[in-house]
Amino acid sequence: MNLQDLIYFHYLAESLSFTDTATHFFVSQPSISTAVKRLETEFNTSLIDRRKTLKKMELTPAGKILYKNTDEILKRLDKTRQQIEDIELGYVYYGFLPTIGGYFLPEILPKLTQYSKDLKLVEEESSDIMLNMILNEEVPIAILGHEEPYIRQNKIKQILLMEEEMALWVSQNHPLAKKKAVGPTEIQNEVFISLSEGYTHHRIFEKWATHHGIVEPNIVYAKEIKTVKSIATSTHMVGFMSDILMSEDTDLVKVHLKGAPKFYISLVLNTEAENSYVQQKFNQAFIEVVKGLKFMSK
């Protein structure tokens, strides 16, 4: 079987256009048609529905199956190429969340200078997305946040680095700014601002609100931390965030929550991932450095 035929078919299945596919690969349209026919011969089936009554091209059921599996095959090939390149060039990868990573890396990276020139940061904003990337072997190691003390995934190795209480953050002229701590009943009618679905903070807030009987909380969700901070600073909305997301020079005032939920931060890696020898050495060195540091819960 010709790998290029699969590549052509994969693009054709997504574009549903012989013309667009030929243009994309700088080949003639008959070349694409010939590639499809070779695959149909190989699998002894029709991949394209050629009925003239159709207004646009459609895949047959067999074509849809081949597309799904071709998608997986090509992704696996890309990953294989990347792994081989990593071995040849000696690259190592670390999953980086700007907020959490920005707090820990100044303590860690100076102790891993032997990897500096080969280190590639894979940046993401969301801990949820980063965890999925770890599970899917897209990232070998990362520091991320979670709402429970333990990440319940069989193939995950976790080293808990820190736990801290969630808190409220308000503008300096907000009535709550004069209080050191408040309970759930005192803030029932406040309008909150926090991180949206896909962020750990979203689930922590919803569980906390439900637990304390705040049935329909007035809450606005934002996708970026800087947006949450900006809105909380310029309005009377109440920010719901962990300390690690806040810079020391913030204009917001911290108000403690009585019975506050906790936010956990861990070093995480996939124990079943097929890492290069250099990546394995980096992971182990990273773990040893982290174990030697005394990160204290706030």
Side-chain angles (χ1 to χ4, degrees):
M1 185 183 298
N2 190 328
L3 176 60
Q4 190 61 48
D5 289 348
L6 287 176
I7 294 172
Y8 286 158
F9 177 76
H10 181 265
Y11 192 92
L12 176 65
E14 292 187 336
S15 67
L16 297 177
S17 170
F18 280 91
T19 302
D20 290 350
T21 304
T23 301
H24 179 79
F25 290 104
F26 300 100
V27 297
S28 66
Q29 191 167 320
S31 296
I32 304 300
S33 298
T34 301
V36 172
K37 288 177 181 177
R38 277 197 296 263
L39 288 172
E40 289 179 327
T41 300
E42 179 76 26
F43 291 104
N44 192 30
T45 189
S46 292
L47 301 173
I48 305 296
D49 193 331
R50 293 179 173 82
R51 287 178 296 170
K52 295 181 179 179
T53 55
L54 295 175
K55 293 183 179 180
K56 63 178 182 178
M57 193 190 87
E58 292 184 9
L59 299 179
T60 63
K64 291 176 182 178
I65 291 173
L66 180 59
Y67 166 66
K68 178 182 177 181
N69 287 282
T70 299
D71 189 59
E72 295 174 1
I73 290 168
L74 294 180
K75 285 179 180 177
R76 190 67 185 176
L77 281 173
D78 284 341
K79 183 176 179 180
T80 302
R81 289 192 188 97
Q82 185 64 63
Q83 289 175 335
I84 292 172
E85 182 179 324
D86 293 346
I87 292 172
E88 295 297 322
L89 299 177
Y91 288 147
V92 293
Y93 293 84
Y94 165 75
F96 178 74
L97 280 75
T99 47
I100 296 175
Y103 179 87
F104 288 97
L105 288 194
E107 296 281 344
I108 297 172
L109 289 187
K111 297 175 174 62
L112 294 169
T113 53
Q114 68 270 36
Y115 296 101
S116 296
K117 65 182 179 62
D118 301 316
L119 178 61
K120 302 291 183 182
L121 297 179
V122 182
E123 189 168 338
E124 263 298 340
E125 291 284 346
S126 163
S127 288
D128 286 2
I129 294 175
M130 188 61 73
L131 178 58
N132 282 331
M133 293 176 78
I134 292 280
L135 290 169
N136 294 328
E137 299 184 30
E138 298 172 52
V139 176
I141 188 169
I143 293 175
L144 49 82
H146 45 105
E147 74 267 29
E148 300 291 343
Y150 301 102
I151 299 173
R152 305 187 186 281
Q153 296 283 351
N154 291 334
K155 57 185 179 180
I156 288 293
K157 178 181 176 68
Q158 170 196 355
I159 299 173
L160 185 64
L161 303 180
M162 179 184 289
E163 63 178 64
E164 57 183 18
E165 291 185 343
M166 300 292 291
L168 303 181
W169 298 83
V170 298
S171 63
Q172 295 178 11
N173 60 355
H174 195 289
L176 291 178
K178 299 177 182 179
K179 298 187 176 185
K180 290 185 177 180
V182 294
T185 56
E186 300 174 71
I187 53 176
Q188 287 268 1
N189 298 320
E190 297 292 342
V191 179
F192 299 93
I193 174 78
S194 189
L195 292 170
S196 60
E197 189 172 358
Y199 287 86
T200 309
H201 284 52
H202 178 275
R203 289 192 302 278
I204 294 176
F205 181 86
E206 290 202 332
K207 288 181 181 178
W208 171 80
T210 300
H211 178 73
H212 291 285
I214 304 176
V215 181
E216 293 184 359
N218 296 315
I219 182 163
V220 176
Y221 288 114
K223 292 183 178 181
E224 294 187 0
I225 295 161
K226 62 181 180 182
T227 303
V228 176
K229 294 179 183 178
S230 175
I231 291 175
T233 301
S234 58
T235 70
H236 270 199
M237 289 189 189
V238 178
F240 181 86
M241 290 177 286
S242 56
D243 280 17
I244 203 169
L245 302 187
M246 306 301 296
S247 56
E248 293 182 359
D249 60 347
T250 181
D251 292 327
L252 293 171
V253 177
K254 180 181 178 180
V255 182
H256 291 275
L257 264 176
K258 297 174 184 176
K262 289 186 177 180
F263 179 64
Y264 302 90
I265 300 166
S266 293
L267 175 66
V268 174
L269 65 156
N270 187 332
T271 57
E272 298 180 7
E274 298 177 1
N275 294 319
S276 68
Y277 175 75
V278 177
Q279 183 71 55
Q280 292 176 41
K281 297 290 287 184
F282 172 78
N283 291 354
Q284 191 57 45
F286 204 103
I287 290 170
E288 293 304 318
V289 169
V290 165
K291 286 181 176 178
L293 297 175
K294 303 298 181 183
F295 292 117
M296 302 298 294
S297 298
K298 295 184 179 181

